[in-house]
Every structure is written in C-alpha cells, then in structure tokens.
Amino acid sequence: MDGLTEAKLRALAGERSFERGLAYVDEVSGVEFGDGWIRASVRGTERYEVELLLRGRRKPAGACDCPYGQEGNFCKHLVALGLTVIAQDADLPRRRKAARDRTRGLDAWLTGMSRDDLLALVREEMAEDRNLRKRLELRAASARGDVAGIRSRIRELLDSGPFARYGYVEYADAHAYADQAAQAVDAIRSVTASGRAADSIALAREAIGMLAAAVESVDDSDGRFGEIGAGLAAAHHETCRAAGPDLVELAHWLVTHALDDVADLTDIDPLDYEDLLGEQGMAALRRYAVEAWQTNRTGWAEKHLMQRLAKSGRDIDTVIAVHAADLAPNGHTHLLIARELDAAGRPVEALEWAERGIRETEDLATVDTALIDHLADRYTRTDRPADTVTLRRDHFAARRTLLTYQQLRAAAIAAACWPTEREKALARLRDDAARADTRGDRVLVDVLLDDKDIDAAWRTADEHGAHDGQWLTLADRSRPTRPADALAVYLRLAARPTRETGNRAYEQLVSLLLGIRDGHRRLSTPDDFTAYVTDLRAAQKRKRNLMRLMDDHGLSGA
C-alpha cells in the first residue's frame, strides 16, 4: 500500500506516538478512501479528523486537527489510522480504484445535468447543509461585490455567541469556533480577488478588532487564534498592496494598531510596510509615532515603536532620546544608552552615560550590576586600573557580598594594590560583625575561606558564628591541620540527618561519616570510629537504603 508499513509509521511518528497510537486503533471510524488520501475520525480526548496522504514513492504524510497534529506532528491518531489501513491492505487497491471510479462517475453525472436540474440539486443540498449554504452565499456576495453582505457574514463568522456557555467559549468548543472564525480570512481575500481591495482593507481591520474582542472570552489553550490573527494580518497586507491605499492614512492606522493591545494578536509590524509606504508614508509613520511617544513617554509600546523606527533609520540620537526620557533609577537605561553609543562607534559619549548612571543611582546597593561590570570593563580597556578599583571598592562598600569582594580583589590585584584594599575591605566586614550584623559576619567567613585564610575564617566562625554550610567547608579544609576541630563539626552536623529519612539525607549522612572516619584516622582513634558506626547502625537499622549505602562505602562497624 504505497510502501506504508508499521516501520514507516514508527519512523514518522516516533516511538512514543507510535506506541500510544496502538491503543487508539479501536477508536478509528468512518474510514473513507480516495485516490491518494484516506480520511477517518478517531476518538481521543474528543473526536478528531485525520487524513493520510499517500504519495507514491515519497514518504506518506498526514494531518490531524488534534493540538499535537496542528503543530505539524505525525500524531498517535494518524498512527491509529495507518495501522487500520495496513490491516486492510489486501482490499486497498480495489478501494482506491472504486474511489477513482466514483469521482469520474460523479463528474460525468454533474456534467450531464441540465442547468435547471443542477440548480435544483444545489438548492436541495443547501437546504440540508447550513454551512454549505453560508459558504455559497459568501461566494455569491463576493462575485457581485456585495460588501455589506460580506461584512455581515464576517460578523457572523467571528461571533462567539453560539459557542459560548455563560459568556465564555470553553476549550471543548474553542476548536469549532476557531474553524469558523478562520473562514473570515478567506472572505476578505475573496473581496480582494473580486477587484474591491479598498473595501477589503476596511473589512480586514474590522475583523481584526472583532477577533481581538472575541478572544478575550475564549479558552485559546492551543493558540489557534494567534494563527487566525496572523492570517488576518497577512490578508490586510495583501489588500493594501493590491489597493494602493492613502499612505498617510495607512501610516496612522499602523501606528494606532501597534500601540493597541490587539497588536499582540496579529503581530503586525509597521516596518513590514516600508516598501509600500515609501518615503512619504514612512515620514508620516515616524511623525505619528513621535506624537504618540510625546504623549506617553513612559509607555512600553510607544518607546518600543520609536526605538525600532529610529534604529531602522539609523537615527541613534532618537534612540537615545527615547531612552533618556524615562531613565530607570538603578542605571539600567544608562547602560542601554551606553551600549547603543558603543555600537554606533561613539565610545566617549558611551563612557559619559555609563558614568552618569553610577552618579545618578542614589544607592549603589541597588544599581544594575551589569552597569558596574560594563564601566569596569571600559576602564580596564582604556588602561585606567585605579578607576576600576575605585568603582569596585564603592560597590563593595554599598553591597558587601562575596561576589563584590571577589570583583574588588581582581581589580586590585591588576592594579597592584590588593594588600591595602584587602585590609580595608576586611575592616569593613569586621565592623559589621562587631555590630552583630548577621549578614556581615557570614560574608566575612566566606571571603576568608575564598582567600584561603582558613585560620582567620575559623576564628571568625568561633567568635561570630557561621551557618552549617560554612562549618562544613571549614571542617573539610581544616581536616589535615585541625583534625580534632573538624571531627567535632562532623559529629555535630551528623546528628540532624540521623533523624531524617530519604536518600538525600542518607547521602548527606554518609558523606559526613566519611569525614568522621578520616578525622579518627588522623587522630589515631579508629576504634572510636568503629564503636560510633556500630552504635549508629544499630539505631538506624530499619533504614535499609542507608544500610546499603553505608555498606557500599565500607562503613560496616564492628
């Protein structure tokens, strides 16, 4: 059957979808064979319509209206249909021939009908099929240029009322509503094709507004309405290109639309119209954008549009003006301006803005650290090590953390002044510790550990305290020189995980036991460790995972 096999289905779908498809074979119904395609319904979370395309020597393909299939994937429902078809493989050639014969027979019958009989048939079918009637009404309205009729039909297509329960379209009904709403795109394009592109511009804009209003009350978990919005945006662009609209009016609409919440639905980019707007239209576009920004200088949409237009015209001064009109108090906007100026080859101005950002930040503890890093990098590049040290020192003074200490150390080492700077920095941290500033004394332990000044770190921890993580680090690093002190830490820390369960606690306890064993070994008291482990195992014997983990590490006791 055109090379369709279980192996090919598995390759198309992937192992997971193929295995899941096996469970849906019994849910396949209404299999319909055509010449080159096979369609059916498959019941899953809801009933889905699936279609396999048989393309001769090329790989089979398929489509399904389930969420996963709509993303272009060969889903489990297609696998189920494929497996059903394979099971009927012996009968398939006859079915395909029958499909071709039916198609030829239908064409011949319709061709042989008189005009009156054909009209009667169409009217009869329209009476039975409401959707067919509406589709034909739309085509008729397009053919005779009935814009009012088409507008009325588009409003019907976008009306969520028939699908809404208690004023909201739930997920189970959203799919059907999306299918109906998507027809609005075809309706607009039919007006364009009939030679009335100017009318279709108005219809596209009206449809965009209606869709935006409707989607607020729809569960669009599958993102279908973003696709419809993109379709309406494409239709609008096509109609504008076909109609040759008033360029100034188009520019005004594009700016208004870009600043409206509906812009998120259509993702219309005014710059996509640049070749259509030409010099006159782009000038109007920039003028309207400036007016909107001047009215609301802090609006995100207004600033974003202004910056994009300015960058497209390589107008760096306008980009800076937009940023400068709404400077963040933490220096972030100054950093953006500095980066723009650097990229434009204006390093002197860039440096001035970066330095201004530091000056205008009221509290360096809240400054955007990326601005500090940017300015320090510029000082380093221009051989100003003393300025780098001053910047890092001021930042450390405002925000005393291990990171700011490390950054000060790197700058001071490069400037050959670290011993002096270190004493000043440690003095600040000791003052914090003396004032019982918990943050300060904890940072002091961290920086002393980072400097590998273990004895000073231990003294600080003894005097001002430390958290368990710091004590553990102290014990690990001090074990060779202070085994008794390290052992005391391990024994204290081991008490808590012995009261807990779970593999994480067991792993933590075993790690501490290894430290305890090494401490006793260094102190030449291995018997004490054996007694300790023996007692521990007796108390923890019901924790089988712990016992197994201890055995794996040779912690067996007596």
Side-chain angles (χ1 to χ4, degrees), residues 146-162:
D146 180 6
V147 177
I150 295 172
R151 176 175 283 109
S152 176
R153 177 60 179 144
I154 289 175
R155 288 174 177 171
E156 289 180 12
L157 292 170
L158 296 173
D159 180 11
S160 62

Side-chain angles (χ1 to χ4, degrees), residues 97 132 173 179 246 290 360 364 374 387 389 406 540:
K97 181 179 182 302
L132 173 62
D173 302 305
D179 284 342
D246 181 301
V290 169
E360 295 181 357
L364 275 181
H374 175 90
D387 290 329
V389 171
Q406 291 169 332
Q540 305 285 321

Side-chain angles (χ1 to χ4, degrees), residues 391-404:
L391 178 64
R392 293 300 190 186
R393 180 197 306 131
D394 291 345
H395 192 214
F396 171 75
R399 191 175 184 180
R400 292 187 285 283
T401 67
L402 175 60
L403 176 61
T404 56

Side-chain angles (χ1 to χ4, degrees), residues 13 32 103-104 114 123 147 159 162 172 194 219 236 314 323-324 370 410 416 442 452 460 462 485 514 528 548:
E32 181 183 358
T103 300
R104 285 194 293 266
S114 68
R123 290 181 181 123
V147 177
D159 180 11
S194 69
D219 182 347
H236 178 266
R314 295 175 181 167
H323 282 308
R442 296 298 191 266
K452 297 181 175 56
T460 300
D462 274 337
D485 290 333
L514 294 174
D528 290 349
R548 186 160 43 247

Side-chain angles (χ1 to χ4, degrees), residues 310-500:
K311 286 183 179 180
S312 72
R314 295 175 181 167
D315 184 359
I316 186 66
D317 291 316
T318 297
V319 173
I320 293 169
V322 173
H323 282 308
D326 185 27
L327 293 171
N330 69 345
H332 176 69
T333 321
H334 299 78
L335 173 62
L336 296 179
I337 293 173
R339 286 172 173 170
E340 293 285 357
L341 287 165
D342 268 333
R346 294 159 63 174
V348 174
E349 295 170 80
L351 184 61
E352 289 173 355
W353 270 101
E355 292 176 328
R356 177 179 164 185
I358 300 298
R359 290 196 305 272
E360 295 181 357
T361 299
E362 293 183 2
D363 184 359
L364 275 181
T366 64
V367 72
D368 184 343
T369 55
L371 176 61
I372 298 284
D373 295 340
H374 175 90
L375 187 54
D377 177 68
R378 294 306 179 273
Y379 285 153
T380 300
R381 289 187 186 185
T382 53
D383 195 24
R384 296 170 59 179
D387 290 329
T388 306
V389 171
T390 299
L391 178 64
R392 293 300 190 186
R393 180 197 306 131
D394 291 345
H395 192 214
F396 171 75
R399 191 175 184 180
R400 292 187 285 283
T401 67
L402 175 60
L403 176 61
T404 56
Y405 179 86
Q406 291 169 332
Q407 291 169 329
L408 171 60
R409 182 176 63 198
I413 288 173
C417 61
W418 177 229
T420 302
E421 290 297 331
R422 180 174 187 266
E423 284 307 311
K424 292 178 183 177
L426 292 179
R428 287 184 182 277
L429 293 175
R430 291 189 185 105
D431 286 344
D432 291 340
R435 291 194 301 270
D437 184 331
T438 301
R439 179 180 62 85
D441 57 46
R442 296 298 191 266
V443 173
L444 180 56
V445 172
D446 282 336
V447 300
L448 290 170
L449 284 169
D450 198 60
D451 278 345
K452 297 181 175 56
D453 192 346
I454 305 301
D455 288 339
W458 198 285
R459 288 194 300 272
T460 300
D462 274 337
E463 183 177 355
H464 300 291
H467 58 69
D468 286 350
Q470 291 172 322
W471 277 119
L472 181 59
T473 302
L474 278 167
D476 287 342
R477 295 188 184 180
S478 303
R479 208 157 62 205
T481 57
R482 308 173 69 146
D485 290 333
L487 178 58
V489 171
Y490 291 136
L491 289 169
R492 179 179 65 81
L493 294 178
R496 188 178 67 182
T498 60
R499 298 190 297 269
E500 299 175 352

Side-chain angles (χ1 to χ4, degrees), residues 23-34:
Y24 283 83
V25 172
D26 292 339
E27 304 299 329
V28 177
S29 63
V31 180
E32 181 183 358
F33 292 83

Side-chain angles (χ1 to χ4, degrees), residues 3 83 108 215 267 296 306 329 331 403 420 428 434 484 495 508:
L83 293 172
V215 79
D267 202 24
N296 183 19
M306 277 293 295
L403 176 61
T420 302
R428 287 184 182 277
Q508 181 184 10

